[in-house]
Short mmCIF file of all heavy atoms in Angstrom, two decimals:
data_model
loop_
_atom_site.label_atom_id
_atom_site.label_comp_id
_atom_site.label_asym_id
_atom_site.label_seq_id
_atom_site.Cartn_x
_atom_site.Cartn_y
_atom_site.Cartn_z
N MET C 1 108.54 98.67 93.96
CA MET C 1 108.11 97.26 93.83
C MET C 1 107.74 96.69 95.20
O MET C 1 106.68 96.13 95.39
CB MET C 1 109.25 96.45 93.21
CG MET C 1 108.76 95.14 92.59
SD MET C 1 107.71 95.44 91.14
CE MET C 1 107.28 93.77 90.72
N GLU C 2 108.67 96.89 96.14
CA GLU C 2 108.45 96.43 97.50
C GLU C 2 107.22 97.10 98.12
O GLU C 2 106.40 96.44 98.75
CB GLU C 2 109.70 96.75 98.35
CG GLU C 2 109.61 96.34 99.81
CD GLU C 2 109.64 94.83 100.03
OE1 GLU C 2 109.83 94.07 99.06
OE2 GLU C 2 109.46 94.43 101.17
N ALA C 3 107.10 98.40 97.91
CA ALA C 3 105.97 99.15 98.46
C ALA C 3 104.65 98.62 97.88
O ALA C 3 103.67 98.47 98.60
CB ALA C 3 106.13 100.63 98.13
N ASN C 4 104.67 98.34 96.61
CA ASN C 4 103.47 97.83 95.94
C ASN C 4 103.05 96.47 96.52
O ASN C 4 101.87 96.20 96.71
CB ASN C 4 103.75 97.70 94.44
CG ASN C 4 102.53 97.99 93.61
OD1 ASN C 4 101.69 98.81 93.99
ND2 ASN C 4 102.42 97.34 92.49
N ARG C 5 104.05 95.67 96.83
CA ARG C 5 103.80 94.34 97.39
C ARG C 5 103.16 94.47 98.79
O ARG C 5 102.23 93.75 99.13
CB ARG C 5 105.11 93.56 97.46
CG ARG C 5 104.95 92.05 97.50
CD ARG C 5 106.29 91.37 97.33
NE ARG C 5 107.27 91.81 98.32
CZ ARG C 5 107.30 91.35 99.58
NH1 ARG C 5 106.43 90.46 99.98
NH2 ARG C 5 108.19 91.81 100.43
N LYS C 6 103.71 95.41 99.57
CA LYS C 6 103.17 95.66 100.92
C LYS C 6 101.72 96.12 100.83
O LYS C 6 100.86 95.70 101.59
CB LYS C 6 103.99 96.75 101.63
CG LYS C 6 105.33 96.32 102.14
CD LYS C 6 105.96 97.48 102.88
CE LYS C 6 107.46 97.33 103.01
NZ LYS C 6 108.06 98.58 103.49
N TRP C 7 101.46 96.99 99.87
CA TRP C 7 100.11 97.53 99.68
C TRP C 7 99.14 96.41 99.31
O TRP C 7 98.04 96.31 99.87
CB TRP C 7 100.16 98.61 98.60
CG TRP C 7 98.83 99.11 98.12
CD1 TRP C 7 98.32 98.96 96.88
CD2 TRP C 7 97.87 99.84 98.88
NE1 TRP C 7 97.09 99.56 96.80
CE2 TRP C 7 96.79 100.11 98.02
CE3 TRP C 7 97.79 100.31 100.19
CZ2 TRP C 7 95.65 100.82 98.42
CZ3 TRP C 7 96.66 101.01 100.60
CH2 TRP C 7 95.62 101.26 99.72
N LEU C 8 99.55 95.56 98.41
CA LEU C 8 98.68 94.48 97.94
C LEU C 8 98.47 93.40 99.00
O LEU C 8 97.54 92.60 98.91
CB LEU C 8 99.23 93.88 96.65
CG LEU C 8 99.15 94.81 95.44
CD1 LEU C 8 99.84 94.20 94.23
CD2 LEU C 8 97.71 95.16 95.08
N ALA C 9 99.35 93.41 100.03
CA ALA C 9 99.21 92.45 101.13
C ALA C 9 98.07 92.86 102.07
O ALA C 9 97.59 92.06 102.87
CB ALA C 9 100.52 92.34 101.89
N ILE C 10 97.64 94.10 101.96
CA ILE C 10 96.54 94.59 102.78
C ILE C 10 95.23 94.08 102.19
O ILE C 10 95.05 94.12 100.97
CB ILE C 10 96.54 96.15 102.81
CG1 ILE C 10 97.83 96.67 103.43
CG2 ILE C 10 95.31 96.69 103.54
CD1 ILE C 10 98.05 98.16 103.22
N PRO C 11 94.31 93.58 103.03
CA PRO C 11 93.04 93.08 102.48
C PRO C 11 92.33 94.14 101.63
O PRO C 11 92.34 95.32 101.97
CB PRO C 11 92.22 92.77 103.74
CG PRO C 11 93.24 92.54 104.81
CD PRO C 11 94.39 93.45 104.48
N GLU C 12 91.73 93.68 100.55
CA GLU C 12 91.13 94.60 99.59
C GLU C 12 90.09 95.53 100.22
O GLU C 12 90.04 96.72 99.89
CB GLU C 12 90.49 93.81 98.44
CG GLU C 12 90.07 94.73 97.31
CD GLU C 12 89.46 94.00 96.13
OE1 GLU C 12 89.29 92.77 96.20
OE2 GLU C 12 89.13 94.67 95.14
N GLU C 13 89.27 95.01 101.11
CA GLU C 13 88.23 95.84 101.74
C GLU C 13 88.85 97.00 102.51
O GLU C 13 88.34 98.11 102.49
CB GLU C 13 87.37 94.99 102.69
CG GLU C 13 86.31 94.17 101.98
CD GLU C 13 85.42 95.02 101.08
OE1 GLU C 13 84.82 95.98 101.58
OE2 GLU C 13 85.34 94.73 99.87
N PHE C 14 89.97 96.72 103.20
CA PHE C 14 90.65 97.74 103.97
C PHE C 14 91.32 98.75 103.04
O PHE C 14 91.31 99.95 103.29
CB PHE C 14 91.67 97.07 104.91
CG PHE C 14 92.27 98.01 105.92
CD1 PHE C 14 91.46 98.86 106.66
CD2 PHE C 14 93.64 98.04 106.13
CE1 PHE C 14 92.01 99.72 107.60
CE2 PHE C 14 94.20 98.90 107.07
CZ PHE C 14 93.39 99.74 107.80
N ARG C 15 91.87 98.25 101.94
CA ARG C 15 92.49 99.15 100.95
C ARG C 15 91.45 100.13 100.40
O ARG C 15 91.73 101.31 100.24
CB ARG C 15 93.08 98.34 99.80
CG ARG C 15 94.51 97.89 100.06
CD ARG C 15 95.10 97.24 98.84
NE ARG C 15 94.80 95.82 98.80
CZ ARG C 15 94.55 95.13 97.68
NH1 ARG C 15 94.55 95.72 96.52
NH2 ARG C 15 94.30 93.85 97.74
N LYS C 16 90.26 99.63 100.13
CA LYS C 16 89.20 100.49 99.60
C LYS C 16 88.87 101.60 100.59
O LYS C 16 88.62 102.75 100.22
CB LYS C 16 87.94 99.67 99.31
CG LYS C 16 88.03 98.90 98.01
CD LYS C 16 86.73 98.13 97.76
CE LYS C 16 86.85 97.21 96.56
NZ LYS C 16 85.75 96.24 96.53
N LYS C 17 88.85 101.25 101.88
CA LYS C 17 88.54 102.23 102.92
C LYS C 17 89.64 103.29 102.99
O LYS C 17 89.36 104.48 103.15
CB LYS C 17 88.39 101.55 104.28
CG LYS C 17 87.06 100.87 104.44
CD LYS C 17 86.93 100.20 105.81
CE LYS C 17 85.69 99.30 105.81
NZ LYS C 17 85.84 98.19 106.73
N LEU C 18 90.88 102.86 102.87
CA LEU C 18 92.01 103.79 102.92
C LEU C 18 91.95 104.77 101.74
O LEU C 18 92.17 105.96 101.89
CB LEU C 18 93.34 103.03 102.90
CG LEU C 18 93.64 102.18 104.14
CD1 LEU C 18 94.80 101.24 103.85
CD2 LEU C 18 93.97 103.06 105.32
N ILE C 19 91.65 104.24 100.57
CA ILE C 19 91.57 105.04 99.35
C ILE C 19 90.48 106.11 99.47
O ILE C 19 90.62 107.21 98.97
CB ILE C 19 91.33 104.12 98.12
CG1 ILE C 19 92.60 103.32 97.82
CG2 ILE C 19 90.90 104.92 96.90
CD1 ILE C 19 92.38 102.15 96.85
N ALA C 20 89.40 105.76 100.18
CA ALA C 20 88.26 106.67 100.30
C ALA C 20 88.33 107.57 101.53
O ALA C 20 87.39 108.32 101.81
CB ALA C 20 86.96 105.87 100.32
N ASN C 21 89.44 107.50 102.28
CA ASN C 21 89.56 108.30 103.51
C ASN C 21 90.89 109.05 103.55
O ASN C 21 91.73 108.80 104.39
CB ASN C 21 89.45 107.39 104.74
CG ASN C 21 88.03 106.99 105.00
OD1 ASN C 21 87.26 107.73 105.59
ND2 ASN C 21 87.67 105.82 104.55
N VAL C 22 91.05 109.98 102.64
CA VAL C 22 92.27 110.78 102.57
C VAL C 22 91.91 112.23 102.81
O VAL C 22 90.94 112.75 102.27
CB VAL C 22 92.94 110.60 101.18
CG1 VAL C 22 94.21 111.43 101.10
CG2 VAL C 22 93.23 109.13 100.92
N ASN C 23 92.72 112.89 103.64
CA ASN C 23 92.48 114.30 103.92
C ASN C 23 93.00 115.17 102.79
O ASN C 23 94.16 115.07 102.41
CB ASN C 23 93.19 114.70 105.22
CG ASN C 23 92.31 114.50 106.43
OD1 ASN C 23 91.16 114.91 106.44
ND2 ASN C 23 92.85 113.86 107.43
N CYS C 24 92.15 116.04 102.27
CA CYS C 24 92.57 117.02 101.27
C CYS C 24 92.60 118.39 101.93
O CYS C 24 91.57 118.86 102.42
CB CYS C 24 91.63 117.02 100.07
SG CYS C 24 92.07 118.29 98.86
N MET C 25 93.77 119.03 101.95
CA MET C 25 93.94 120.35 102.55
C MET C 25 93.08 121.39 101.80
O MET C 25 92.53 122.30 102.39
CB MET C 25 95.40 120.79 102.48
CG MET C 25 96.36 119.84 103.16
SD MET C 25 96.23 119.90 104.95
CE MET C 25 97.70 120.85 105.32
N ASN C 26 93.01 121.23 100.49
CA ASN C 26 92.28 122.18 99.66
C ASN C 26 90.77 122.10 99.88
O ASN C 26 90.10 123.11 100.04
CB ASN C 26 92.63 121.93 98.18
CG ASN C 26 92.22 123.07 97.29
OD1 ASN C 26 92.35 124.23 97.66
ND2 ASN C 26 91.71 122.74 96.12
N CYS C 27 90.25 120.89 99.94
CA CYS C 27 88.82 120.68 100.16
C CYS C 27 88.47 120.85 101.64
O CYS C 27 87.32 121.12 101.99
CB CYS C 27 88.39 119.29 99.70
SG CYS C 27 88.50 119.03 97.92
N GLY C 28 89.48 120.64 102.50
CA GLY C 28 89.22 120.69 103.94
C GLY C 28 88.29 119.57 104.35
O GLY C 28 87.47 119.71 105.25
N ASP C 29 88.43 118.44 103.69
CA ASP C 29 87.50 117.34 103.93
C ASP C 29 88.20 116.00 103.65
O ASP C 29 89.31 115.96 103.15
CB ASP C 29 86.30 117.50 102.99
CG ASP C 29 85.06 116.78 103.51
OD1 ASP C 29 85.13 116.11 104.55
OD2 ASP C 29 84.02 116.88 102.84
N VAL C 30 87.49 114.94 103.97
CA VAL C 30 87.98 113.60 103.65
C VAL C 30 87.50 113.26 102.25
O VAL C 30 86.32 113.40 101.93
CB VAL C 30 87.44 112.57 104.68
CG1 VAL C 30 87.81 111.14 104.27
CG2 VAL C 30 88.01 112.87 106.06
N VAL C 31 88.46 112.86 101.41
CA VAL C 31 88.14 112.63 100.00
C VAL C 31 88.69 111.28 99.54
O VAL C 31 89.36 110.58 100.29
CB VAL C 31 88.76 113.75 99.13
CG1 VAL C 31 88.24 115.11 99.54
CG2 VAL C 31 90.29 113.72 99.19
N THR C 32 88.42 110.97 98.30
CA THR C 32 88.98 109.76 97.67
C THR C 32 90.23 110.16 96.90
O THR C 32 90.23 111.15 96.17
CB THR C 32 87.93 109.15 96.71
OG1 THR C 32 86.82 108.72 97.48
CG2 THR C 32 88.51 107.95 95.96
N ILE C 33 91.29 109.37 97.07
CA ILE C 33 92.54 109.62 96.33
C ILE C 33 92.46 108.91 94.98
O ILE C 33 91.94 107.81 94.87
CB ILE C 33 93.75 109.16 97.16
CG1 ILE C 33 95.07 109.62 96.52
CG2 ILE C 33 93.75 107.65 97.41
CD1 ILE C 33 96.30 109.40 97.42
N THR C 34 92.95 109.57 93.95
CA THR C 34 92.90 109.01 92.61
C THR C 34 94.26 109.16 91.93
O THR C 34 95.08 109.98 92.35
CB THR C 34 91.78 109.67 91.79
OG1 THR C 34 91.63 108.99 90.56
CG2 THR C 34 92.04 111.13 91.50
N ASP C 35 94.50 108.39 90.88
CA ASP C 35 95.77 108.43 90.13
C ASP C 35 96.98 108.31 91.06
O ASP C 35 97.95 109.04 90.90
CB ASP C 35 95.88 109.74 89.34
CG ASP C 35 94.85 109.84 88.23
OD1 ASP C 35 94.29 108.79 87.87
OD2 ASP C 35 94.62 110.95 87.74
N PHE C 36 96.90 107.41 92.03
CA PHE C 36 97.99 107.34 93.01
C PHE C 36 99.01 106.25 92.70
O PHE C 36 98.73 105.30 91.97
CB PHE C 36 97.43 107.16 94.43
CG PHE C 36 96.65 105.87 94.62
CD1 PHE C 36 97.31 104.71 94.96
CD2 PHE C 36 95.27 105.84 94.46
CE1 PHE C 36 96.60 103.53 95.16
CE2 PHE C 36 94.56 104.67 94.65
CZ PHE C 36 95.22 103.51 94.99
N ILE C 37 100.20 106.48 93.25
CA ILE C 37 101.25 105.46 93.20
C ILE C 37 101.56 105.07 94.64
O ILE C 37 101.27 105.84 95.57
CB ILE C 37 102.52 105.95 92.47
CG1 ILE C 37 103.07 107.23 93.11
CG2 ILE C 37 102.26 106.15 91.00
CD1 ILE C 37 104.48 107.57 92.69
N ILE C 38 102.13 103.90 94.82
CA ILE C 38 102.50 103.43 96.15
C ILE C 38 104.00 103.63 96.32
O ILE C 38 104.78 103.17 95.49
CB ILE C 38 102.19 101.91 96.30
CG1 ILE C 38 100.82 101.56 95.73
CG2 ILE C 38 102.34 101.47 97.75
CD1 ILE C 38 99.66 102.16 96.44
N VAL C 39 104.38 104.34 97.37
CA VAL C 39 105.81 104.56 97.62
C VAL C 39 106.17 104.10 99.02
O VAL C 39 105.32 104.06 99.92
CB VAL C 39 106.21 106.05 97.42
CG1 VAL C 39 106.04 106.46 95.97
CG2 VAL C 39 105.41 106.96 98.32
N ASP C 40 107.44 103.78 99.20
CA ASP C 40 107.91 103.35 100.52
C ASP C 40 107.87 104.53 101.50
O ASP C 40 108.08 105.68 101.12
CB ASP C 40 109.33 102.81 100.42
CG ASP C 40 109.35 101.30 100.27
OD1 ASP C 40 108.63 100.63 101.02
OD2 ASP C 40 110.09 100.81 99.39
N HIS C 41 107.61 104.20 102.75
CA HIS C 41 107.55 105.22 103.80
C HIS C 41 108.12 104.56 105.06
O HIS C 41 107.91 103.36 105.26
CB HIS C 41 106.10 105.65 104.01
CG HIS C 41 105.94 106.79 104.96
ND1 HIS C 41 105.86 106.60 106.32
CD2 HIS C 41 105.86 108.13 104.76
CE1 HIS C 41 105.74 107.77 106.90
NE2 HIS C 41 105.74 108.72 105.98
N PRO C 42 108.82 105.34 105.91
CA PRO C 42 109.41 104.74 107.12
C PRO C 42 108.38 103.99 107.98
O PRO C 42 108.72 102.99 108.61
CB PRO C 42 109.96 105.95 107.88
CG PRO C 42 110.24 106.95 106.82
CD PRO C 42 109.18 106.74 105.76
N ALA C 43 107.13 104.43 107.96
CA ALA C 43 106.10 103.80 108.79
C ALA C 43 105.40 102.64 108.08
O ALA C 43 104.64 101.90 108.69
CB ALA C 43 105.07 104.83 109.22
N GLY C 44 105.62 102.50 106.78
CA GLY C 44 104.93 101.47 106.02
C GLY C 44 104.99 101.80 104.54
O GLY C 44 106.03 101.72 103.92
N VAL C 45 103.84 102.20 104.00
CA VAL C 45 103.82 102.67 102.62
C VAL C 45 103.01 103.96 102.56
O VAL C 45 102.28 104.30 103.48
CB VAL C 45 103.20 101.63 101.64
CG1 VAL C 45 104.05 100.38 101.58
CG2 VAL C 45 101.78 101.28 102.02
N MET C 46 103.14 104.66 101.46
CA MET C 46 102.40 105.91 101.30
C MET C 46 101.75 105.94 99.92
O MET C 46 102.36 105.56 98.92
CB MET C 46 103.37 107.10 101.44
CG MET C 46 102.68 108.43 101.50
SD MET C 46 103.84 109.78 101.83
CE MET C 46 104.57 109.98 100.21
N LEU C 47 100.49 106.37 99.92
CA LEU C 47 99.80 106.58 98.66
C LEU C 47 100.05 108.03 98.26
O LEU C 47 99.84 108.94 99.06
CB LEU C 47 98.28 106.37 98.81
CG LEU C 47 97.80 105.10 99.50
CD1 LEU C 47 96.30 105.01 99.41
CD2 LEU C 47 98.43 103.88 98.88
N ASP C 48 100.50 108.25 97.05
CA ASP C 48 100.83 109.58 96.56
C ASP C 48 99.99 109.81 95.31
O ASP C 48 100.23 109.19 94.28
CB ASP C 48 102.33 109.63 96.26
CG ASP C 48 102.80 111.01 95.81
OD1 ASP C 48 101.94 111.81 95.40
OD2 ASP C 48 104.00 111.26 95.86
N GLY C 49 99.00 110.69 95.43
CA GLY C 49 98.12 110.88 94.29
C GLY C 49 97.39 112.21 94.32
O GLY C 49 97.91 113.20 94.85
N LYS C 50 96.18 112.23 93.78
CA LYS C 50 95.41 113.46 93.65
C LYS C 50 94.03 113.30 94.27
O LYS C 50 93.46 112.21 94.30
CB LYS C 50 95.23 113.82 92.17
CG LYS C 50 96.52 114.19 91.48
CD LYS C 50 96.25 114.75 90.09
CE LYS C 50 95.70 113.72 89.15
NZ LYS C 50 95.60 114.19 87.77
N CYS C 51 93.50 114.42 94.74
CA CYS C 51 92.14 114.47 95.28
C CYS C 51 91.16 114.26 94.13
O CYS C 51 91.28 114.89 93.08
CB CYS C 51 91.91 115.83 95.92
SG CYS C 51 90.19 116.17 96.32
N LYS C 52 90.19 113.38 94.33
CA LYS C 52 89.20 113.10 93.29
C LYS C 52 88.33 114.32 93.01
O LYS C 52 87.83 114.51 91.90
CB LYS C 52 88.33 111.93 93.74
CG LYS C 52 87.46 111.35 92.65
CD LYS C 52 86.65 110.20 93.20
CE LYS C 52 85.71 109.64 92.13
NZ LYS C 52 84.85 108.60 92.69
N ASN C 53 88.15 115.16 94.05
CA ASN C 53 87.25 116.32 93.91
C ASN C 53 87.91 117.52 93.24
O ASN C 53 87.31 118.15 92.39
CB ASN C 53 86.72 116.74 95.27
CG ASN C 53 85.91 115.65 95.93
OD1 ASN C 53 85.48 114.70 95.28
ND2 ASN C 53 85.71 115.76 97.23
N CYS C 54 89.13 117.85 93.67
CA CYS C 54 89.73 119.10 93.19
C CYS C 54 91.05 118.92 92.45
O CYS C 54 91.57 119.87 91.87
CB CYS C 54 89.92 120.07 94.36
SG CYS C 54 91.24 119.58 95.49
N GLY C 55 91.63 117.72 92.48
CA GLY C 55 92.87 117.48 91.76
C GLY C 55 94.11 117.90 92.53
O GLY C 55 95.23 117.78 92.03
N ASN C 56 93.94 118.41 93.75
CA ASN C 56 95.07 118.79 94.60
C ASN C 56 95.89 117.55 94.95
O ASN C 56 95.34 116.46 95.07
CB ASN C 56 94.52 119.43 95.88
CG ASN C 56 95.56 120.24 96.63
OD1 ASN C 56 96.21 121.13 96.06
ND2 ASN C 56 95.71 119.96 97.90
N LYS C 57 97.21 117.73 95.12
CA LYS C 57 98.05 116.60 95.53
C LYS C 57 97.68 116.18 96.95
O LYS C 57 97.59 117.02 97.85
CB LYS C 57 99.52 117.00 95.47
CG LYS C 57 100.48 115.91 95.92
CD LYS C 57 101.91 116.47 96.00
CE LYS C 57 102.83 115.54 96.77
NZ LYS C 57 103.16 114.32 96.02
N VAL C 58 97.46 114.88 97.15
CA VAL C 58 97.18 114.37 98.49
C VAL C 58 98.01 113.10 98.71
O VAL C 58 98.36 112.40 97.76
CB VAL C 58 95.68 114.05 98.70
CG1 VAL C 58 94.84 115.32 98.75
CG2 VAL C 58 95.13 113.11 97.65
N VAL C 59 98.34 112.86 99.96
CA VAL C 59 99.06 111.64 100.31
C VAL C 59 98.38 110.99 101.50
O VAL C 59 97.68 111.64 102.26
CB VAL C 59 100.55 111.91 100.65
CG1 VAL C 59 101.29 112.47 99.47
CG2 VAL C 59 100.69 112.80 101.87
N ARG C 60 98.60 109.69 101.61
CA ARG C 60 98.04 108.96 102.73
C ARG C 60 99.07 107.93 103.20
O ARG C 60 99.45 107.05 102.40
CB ARG C 60 96.73 108.30 102.32
CG ARG C 60 96.21 107.21 103.24
CD ARG C 60 95.43 107.81 104.39
NE ARG C 60 95.32 106.89 105.48
CZ ARG C 60 94.19 106.70 106.19
NH1 ARG C 60 93.10 107.34 105.89
NH2 ARG C 60 94.20 105.88 107.21
N VAL C 61 99.51 108.07 104.43
CA VAL C 61 100.48 107.09 104.96
C VAL C 61 99.70 105.91 105.51
O VAL C 61 98.72 106.07 106.24
CB VAL C 61 101.35 107.73 106.06
CG1 VAL C 61 102.25 106.67 106.70
CG2 VAL C 61 102.19 108.85 105.50
N VAL C 62 100.12 104.72 105.12
CA VAL C 62 99.50 103.50 105.62
C VAL C 62 100.54 102.80 106.49
O VAL C 62 101.58 102.35 106.00
CB VAL C 62 99.08 102.58 104.47
CG1 VAL C 62 98.43 101.31 105.00
CG2 VAL C 62 98.12 103.32 103.52
N GLU C 63 100.27 102.77 107.79
CA GLU C 63 101.22 102.14 108.71
C GLU C 63 101.05 100.64 108.69
O GLU C 63 99.95 100.12 108.61
CB GLU C 63 101.00 102.69 110.13
CG GLU C 63 101.47 104.13 110.27
CD GLU C 63 101.21 104.70 111.64
OE1 GLU C 63 101.31 103.96 112.62
OE2 GLU C 63 100.89 105.91 111.72
N GLU C 64 102.19 99.96 108.79
CA GLU C 64 102.16 98.50 108.77
C GLU C 64 101.75 97.96 110.11
O GLU C 64 102.08 98.52 111.14
CB GLU C 64 103.55 97.97 108.42
CG GLU C 64 103.83 98.12 106.93
CD GLU C 64 105.14 97.43 106.56
OE1 GLU C 64 106.19 97.93 106.93
OE2 GLU C 64 105.08 96.39 105.89
ZN1 ZN G 1 90.43 118.31 97.22
#
């Protein structure tokens, strides 16, 4: 809940950029994360989801 609130506090334009700039180890490229949840992370919050291209698990830490 707290993590979700932190995430939503980020301006929408910036959130869109974060969603579209996630490293996928499998693709070896920057991809869009999909089907993600927001979880707490020591540095801020973390997006935990799947690569839009290959379905591999990807995460993205968003520092506060
Ligand atoms: Zn991928």
Side-chain angles (χ1 to χ4, degrees):
M1 201 67 182
E2 179 71 5
N4 214 32
R5 203 170 56 80
K6 285 184 200 168
W7 170 245
L8 291 174
I10 298 167
E12 190 179 4
E13 280 306 304
F14 190 47
R15 272 186 273 144
K16 281 181 187 166
K17 282 180 191 152
L18 292 167
I19 288 166
N21 284 278
V22 180
N23 270 311
C24 177
M25 302 288 256
N26 195 39
C27 293
D29 203 357
V30 174
V31 301
T32 296
I33 189 170
T34 188
D35 294 343
F36 62 87
I37 56 166
I38 316 295
V39 294
D40 265 314
H41 186 275
V45 295
M46 189 175 78
L47 311 186
D48 183 341
K50 293 190 293 188
C51 168
K52 192 179 177 185
N53 299 343
C54 71
N56 198 53
K57 178 188 166 72
V58 290
V59 297
R60 164 84 200 222
V61 174
V62 180
E63 288 178 36
E64 284 187 289

